Amino acid sequence: MIKNKYSIERRYIKKRQNVRPGTRLVSGTPGFLVAHDTGNPGATADNHFNYFETLINRSASAQVFIDDKKILEIIPTGTGPDPAERAWHVLYNVTTDNKLYGDDANDIALGVELCYGGKINTLDAYKRFVWYLAYCCDLWKINPLTHIPSHKQLDPTRKSDVDQALKTIGKTLKDLLYDVVREMQEEPAVIVVPTVIQLPANVAQILIDDYVSPAWFAAREVGDSVGTLHLHNLANNLRLAACIPLQPGSAAPFTQLPKSNVQELVFRWLSPGWMAAKVKGDKTAMSFYNNTANHLRAAAGMPKE
């Protein structure tokens, strides 16, 4: 999966028995993940941090709140340097979690809350929610299809989350679980850097003889010193890219052709030649111009076209 797709912000509420007791999960690392929604449309992750930071009259909390802008861990989860701690997100006297997973959710699971509604872009929040669940499953080898229950599944007579938030974007819990699986299977884009290949000497010589030298003489005829110097350097760059010695008997190590030289040669001479050949229907000449351009691109480490 793409492990750096989103960043995780860790900003912890103060330790207090009713919200963050400061004790570790008895399982060490999380054994499963409970999918919640906040039940508070429009309230952001920061809003919930502020709420639980000051909550004093009841016991409740969760480790993670996710909106359309951020993934915020307000109690350590183990994704960072701090070990995972308990939160109070499922009632102890509800025993479905014990039957399914062998222990209480508060003691061995993370509570992950989806923020939704109001000014929150719920679909964007959902994408972060899916990624975070996938990230945790990948990190701790959790099976998302069996070990991400919703709060509603664990406490069906009292709770309707995460289903109520998912419904607002046309999603179901089953959709969520399969989206997590797909997120885990997503591979980072692989950027293939083209190999730099020495320019064939005959190609370099043809370009010098047919294009660069005539242009150099034309520039000299009109007293264009800047143009003659540029074309002189262009010819030498072609020689270096083809390992042609600049002086008889001198060493000629390969030097990558500058991309700007490729662009000049292609657009100034080769492309017009290819277009003229196309008009004439001369496929042999078209192939020559195309192959020559690709030799130049390879010598500059550019992709072929």
Side-chain angles (χ1 to χ4, degrees):
M1 67 170 294
I2 303 175
K3 296 183 180 181
N4 61 350
K5 190 171 185 178
Y6 298 107
S7 60
I8 299 172
E9 182 178 339
R10 300 177 179 93
R11 180 158 42 95
Y12 303 140
I13 58 176
K14 294 188 294 289
K15 292 180 181 179
R16 300 187 323 283
Q17 184 58 33
N18 67 314
V19 287
R20 182 190 170 191
T23 52
R24 294 187 60 174
L25 294 185
V26 298
S27 54
T29 60
F32 66 100
L33 313 167
V34 182
H36 297 263
D37 66 56
T38 63
N40 189 13
T44 65
D46 286 331
N47 292 150
H48 285 91
F49 173 91
N50 294 333
Y51 174 76
F52 287 108
E53 179 73 343
T54 58
L55 182 64
I56 58 174
N57 59 356
R58 70 187 186 97
S59 293
S61 59
Q63 285 93 345
V64 192
F65 290 85
I66 300 172
D67 61 24
D68 57 343
K69 300 294 190 298
K70 67 176 62 179
I71 297 167
L72 178 61
E73 295 180 352
I74 71 167
I75 295 174
T77 65
T79 63
D82 301 296
E85 296 181 11
R86 286 183 174 97
W88 309 134
H89 56 103
V90 176
L91 289 179
Y92 273 110
N93 61 2
V94 176
T95 59
T96 307
D97 48 1
N98 304 78
K99 295 174 183 176
L100 291 174
Y101 303 108
D103 213 328
D104 293 293
N106 294 333
D107 295 335
I108 67 169
L110 298 183
V112 185
E113 299 266 1
L114 173 63
C115 303
Y116 70 102
K119 294 183 179 180
I120 296 170
N121 184 321
T122 305
L123 186 57
D124 284 349
Y126 176 78
K127 291 175 183 177
R128 285 173 167 76
F129 189 67
V130 167
W131 177 85
Y132 185 82
L133 292 171
Y135 182 85
C136 291
C137 288
D138 180 77
L139 180 62
W140 294 305
K141 308 305 179 213
I142 294 171
N143 183 344
L145 298 180
T146 58
H147 283 62
I148 305 181
S150 68
H151 196 186
K152 179 181 179 180
Q153 286 179 316
L154 298 184
D155 193 355
T157 62
R158 297 177 53 252
K159 294 295 181 179
S160 57
D161 59 316
V162 66
D163 305 64
Q164 62 190 356
L166 296 180
K167 187 176 180 180
T168 67
I169 53 171
K171 294 281 187 178
T172 65
L173 179 62
K174 182 179 179 180
D175 293 330
L176 171 64
L177 300 184
Y178 280 99
D179 284 344
V180 171
V181 171
R182 279 187 285 270
E183 189 74 37
M184 293 175 71
Q185 294 171 341
E186 186 175 352
E187 295 292 336
V190 177
I191 300 174
V192 178
V193 179
T195 303
V196 180
I197 301 173
Q198 179 180 323
L199 183 66
N202 65 312
V203 173
Q205 199 60 57
I206 289 171
L207 289 167
I208 292 169
D209 293 343
D210 290 358
Y211 302 113
V212 183
S213 287
W216 182 88
F217 280 109
R220 190 178 70 168
E221 283 291 319
V222 297
D224 182 0
S225 59
V226 174
T228 55
L229 178 60
H230 168 72
L231 291 162
H232 171 78
N233 291 336
L234 175 57
N236 279 341
N237 288 344
L238 286 168
R239 293 185 181 102
L240 292 170
C243 294
I244 299 172
L246 300 184
Q247 300 294 333
S250 65
F254 169 72
T255 302
Q256 183 173 336
L257 187 65
K259 291 180 174 62
S260 59
N261 287 171
V262 176
Q263 292 167 341
E264 178 179 358
L265 289 160
V266 169
F267 289 105
R268 186 172 179 178
W269 290 300
L270 299 179
S271 286
W274 184 90
M275 289 299 299
K278 182 181 179 182
V279 170
K280 295 178 182 178
D282 187 344
K283 293 184 179 180
T284 300
M286 290 170 64
S287 179
F288 164 77
Y289 289 117
N290 184 65
N291 291 338
T292 301
N294 280 334
H295 281 306
L296 290 171
R297 294 184 182 103
M302 300 167 66
K304 294 182 179 182
E305 293 184 4

